[in-house]
Amino acid sequence: MTGLEHVPSETFRERSIPVLETARLILRAPRLGDAKAITALANDRHIAENTARIPHPYKLTDAKDWIGGANKNPDEEQYVITLSDGTLIGACGIELRDEAPSIGYWLGQPHWRKGYATEAVRALIDHAFGDIEHEELHASARVTNPASRHVLEKCGFQWTGVGLCRIRAIHSSAPVDLFRLERSIWASLKSWGKMRRVR
């Protein structure tokens, strides 16, 4: 028996993923106890139709399947997004798509238009460049989702074109705006932000 065989796999996965904290949010590995809260938020057609892999309707078994598979691949990090009081409000992550690191995110409707998505994405970006040391990040947003595009632009992503993405909830592909953020741009924005605070 190795030292890991007696450790529950959920505990091991959770310990292998860092906790990211912002002024208002905590990003941490998903736990089985999150399944009901995830289901309640993700069972929303507006969310499903703007993400690649969330089905609609979204059932408790879907949440458990996602949690069970999260962070098993060393090339991905999946997080739930919570408020500082522990209230779960969404999810986000970094993974390799077509051999390029990409980010994705969603928030439950009650938590839209409060700046939480931007705050969570900035935490992911800082982690991806500062800790994982990626050289660039990719992201996409449906062309019919200007709010998500605005989040990416506020975080420094630059539009690179339009592509097609398979959307599970609509059983079809849909056009998406494609974005990229390079490490050098991120470093410049971080430096500029520090200079503004000093002044």
Side-chain angles (χ1 to χ4, degrees):
M1 175 183 280
T2 68
L4 296 179
E5 286 178 322
H6 69 281
V7 178
S9 59
E10 180 179 274
T11 303
F12 179 75
R13 287 199 313 274
E14 187 175 336
R15 287 182 180 169
S16 68
I17 300 300
V19 174
L20 310 179
E21 295 187 43
T22 70
R24 300 181 295 168
L25 305 175
I26 297 171
L27 281 60
R28 60 164 175 79
R31 305 168 185 154
L32 193 55
D34 298 324
K36 286 184 180 179
I38 291 170
T39 304
L41 293 173
N43 188 30
D44 181 329
R45 180 170 291 280
H46 296 298
I47 292 171
E49 290 181 351
N50 284 297
T51 60
R53 290 186 293 238
I54 293 179
H56 185 78
Y58 191 88
K59 302 173 183 174
L60 186 61
T61 53
D62 296 312
K64 289 180 177 179
D65 287 346
W66 177 71
I67 293 167
N71 301 316
K72 287 188 174 179
N73 185 329
D75 293 326
E76 72 170 32
E77 291 188 3
Q78 301 293 334
Y79 297 88
V80 291
I81 306 167
T82 76
L83 302 179
S84 56
D85 67 3
T87 302
L88 196 148
I89 65 171
C92 61
I94 307 169
E95 64 183 27
L96 288 183
R97 291 185 189 170
D98 300 322
E99 300 185 8
S102 300
I103 67 164
Y105 54 91
W106 63 268
L107 289 179
Q109 272 206 63
H111 309 288
W112 291 1
R113 296 192 262 307
K114 298 178 181 177
Y116 293 142
T118 301
E119 197 168 324
V121 169
R122 284 181 175 151
L124 269 186
I125 292 169
D126 288 350
H127 174 57
F129 287 135
D131 301 323
I132 307 177
E133 300 184 347
H134 285 309
E135 290 303 314
E136 65 179 17
L137 287 173
H138 294 256
S140 63
R142 282 193 69 178
V143 296
T144 55
N145 187 2
S148 188
R149 177 187 175 120
H150 187 55
V151 167
L152 294 171
E153 290 172 339
K154 283 197 295 185
C155 291
F157 277 86
Q158 296 175 315
W159 184 82
T160 60
V162 176
L164 284 175
C165 178
R166 183 77 183 173
I167 307 294
R168 184 174 175 185
I170 64 172
H171 309 288
S172 182
S173 295
V176 292
D177 286 311
L178 305 173
F179 295 86
R180 182 177 67 233
L181 177 60
E182 297 175 2
R183 169 187 281 278
S184 59
I185 301 293
W186 167 79
S188 295
L189 291 171
K190 294 291 282 184
S191 175
W192 185 68
K194 288 177 183 176
M195 288 173 55
R196 289 185 68 194
R197 285 194 291 272
V198 169
R199 290 178 186 174

